[in-house]
Amino acid sequence: MNVETQPYVIGIDMGGTNTAFGIVDARGTVVERGSIKTDIPDINEYVKRLTDEILKLVDKVGGKENIKGIGAGCPNGNFYTGNIEFAPNLPWEGVVPFAQLLEEATGIPTAITNDANAAAVGEMTYGSAKGMKDFIMITLGTGVGSGIVINGQIVYGHDGFAGELGHVRVIRNNGRLCGCGRTGCLETYTSASGVARTAKEFLELKDVDSSLRNVEPNSITSKDVFDAAIEGDKLANEIFEYTGKILGEALADYVAFSAPEAIVLFGGLAKAGDLIMKPIRENMEKNLLSIWKGKVKILFSTLKDADAAVLGASALGWEIK
Ligand SMILES: [Zn+2]
């Protein structure tokens, strides 16, 4: 490949525990990759270590002149300011000017956003939303994130934080307490821990046999529910029905906001396939305004799991002017 006409970008996926990064080509192939621990209390030390590792990879692809830019997906990353602002799961408090620090250290233009927006850019650049101008990305993981794309652009909003659909309240009376301090947010029902909470509730309320009763209630995970559902466990399937209903109803409302061509689901829960897809689709359709019935696709991400977050972040690198 001619690296002069096909430069690379760098993608960084910053998580609470690990920071993964990779060098990505225009076709969305991760050609070099690495990772460091995120848990370094001094941000300057973290940036230095990250820079050292990244520059080693950069040397392997012929140096900085072959890199168009760095894109990073960071918890509470603000695209406008380049700052990470009050991220609860990171070791640095307050406002951290991460894009600026990394750009100064590496000498490579850097942009950041939050993880869900990065996933949306990745899906649009390399994945199942390729060629789409209007879609909504929903990431179902430890939390629930979202990225809204309208007319080919991520919606960042006035302050850079738009697209917090995981914290739209879907249950208004006696909703579950959310990490954000409010109650009834979508995240408390459809995140991995939300599914586990439902399992615990159902096991207490319903007097039916289930293989989930063999697991200590406080340590049930969404994977336990998934495994049981695959085996045909009735209660586990009811848990997915319930989760899919809440998500489907919420999606019907989100469609009313931006009339997307598709909703793309990403993350662990999406792996449950038809078990979760069927109730999501049915309940979305049932609740859509009639002008949208039968028109909105629900798709799973097609980005390879291990690379998805790095790819998503890297896609931001192409957009740096
Ligand atoms: Zn919330």
Side-chain angles (χ1 to χ4, degrees):
M1 193 196 318
N2 183 344
V3 288
E4 278 168 20
T5 54
Q6 291 201 302
Y8 300 100
V9 285
I10 295 172
I12 299 174
D13 169 36
M14 185 192 288
T17 315
N18 287 302
T19 299
F21 44 87
I23 298 186
V24 180
D25 70 14
R27 284 173 302 189
T29 308
V30 182
V31 295
E32 298 289 343
R33 68 188 82 217
S35 74
I36 63 167
K37 290 260 174 264
T38 306
D39 193 13
I40 299 172
D42 178 355
I43 180 67
N44 293 304
E45 179 60 27
Y46 170 81
V47 169
K48 185 180 178 305
R49 238 182 266 183
L50 183 60
T51 300
D52 289 347
E53 293 303 314
I54 284 176
L55 292 182
K56 276 185 214 161
L57 301 185
V58 169
D59 280 342
K60 291 191 189 175
V61 297
K64 281 182 212 174
E65 56 275 22
N66 289 328
I67 308 289
K68 171 107 168 70
I70 298 175
C74 311
N76 287 16
N78 188 319
F79 176 75
Y80 290 146
T81 60
N83 296 337
I84 295 171
E85 306 188 17
F86 306 99
N89 303 318
L90 295 178
W92 320 298
E93 284 174 11
V95 177
V96 177
F98 180 64
Q100 190 197 333
L101 291 173
L102 192 64
E103 186 164 321
E104 281 168 9
T106 59
I108 301 169
T110 302
I112 72 169
T113 187
N114 72 31
D115 344 30
N117 283 340
V121 183
E123 215 61 54
M124 185 162 53
T125 312
Y126 314 111
S128 57
K130 206 168 172 177
M132 285 186 196
K133 291 197 149 237
D134 298 275
F135 69 98
I136 296 176
M137 178 92 200
I138 304 279
T139 59
L140 302 162
T142 322
V144 173
S146 68
I148 301 165
V149 173
I150 295 178
N151 200 20
Q153 302 285 320
I154 290 268
V155 175
Y156 289 110
H158 173 65
D159 61 358
F161 288 124
E164 286 291 351
L165 295 180
H167 295 284
V168 168
R169 299 175 69 204
V170 294
I171 305 286
R172 294 218 167 245
N173 293 316
N174 298 316
R176 293 176 183 171
L177 182 62
C178 183
C180 71
R182 297 143 75 242
T183 58
C185 295
L186 180 70
E187 176 167 300
T188 64
Y189 296 88
T190 64
S191 63
S193 55
V195 172
R197 273 165 99 166
T198 303
K200 205 176 154 221
E201 267 181 32
F202 277 27
L203 285 165
E204 277 167 22
L205 289 172
K206 297 178 189 243
D207 186 22
V208 293
D209 272 349
S210 168
S211 60
L212 291 171
R213 295 203 186 277
N214 302 327
V215 189
E216 205 277 309
N218 286 318
S219 62
I220 288 183
T221 64
S222 58
K223 183 169 185 309
D224 294 327
V225 179
F226 173 69
D227 291 343
I230 291 275
E231 293 293 317
D233 188 88
K234 212 169 149 270
L235 191 76
N237 277 288
E238 277 178 39
I239 294 165
F240 275 137
E241 290 276 339
Y242 178 76
T243 308
K245 180 172 188 288
I246 288 181
L247 185 54
E249 288 171 354
L251 295 183
D253 286 345
Y254 301 166
V255 167
F257 170 68
S258 63
E261 176 180 350
I263 290 167
V264 183
L265 303 179
F266 173 82
L269 202 58
K271 283 197 200 77
D274 268 357
L275 291 176
I276 192 82
M277 191 61 116
K278 211 169 151 273
I280 294 173
R281 205 169 258 145
E282 278 171 12
N283 286 284
M284 184 182 83
E285 278 303 322
K286 207 187 291 175
N287 289 281
L288 276 174
L289 208 55
S290 49
I291 44 173
W292 289 303
K293 279 190 197 293
K295 275 168 53 177
V296 184
K297 290 173 258 190
I298 301 180
L299 306 170
F300 287 136
S301 163
T302 50
L303 297 182
K304 252 196 299 167
D305 237 28
D307 288 337
V310 166
L311 274 176
S314 80
L316 204 63
W318 297 116
E319 300 196 345
I320 295 174
K321 298 282 183 320

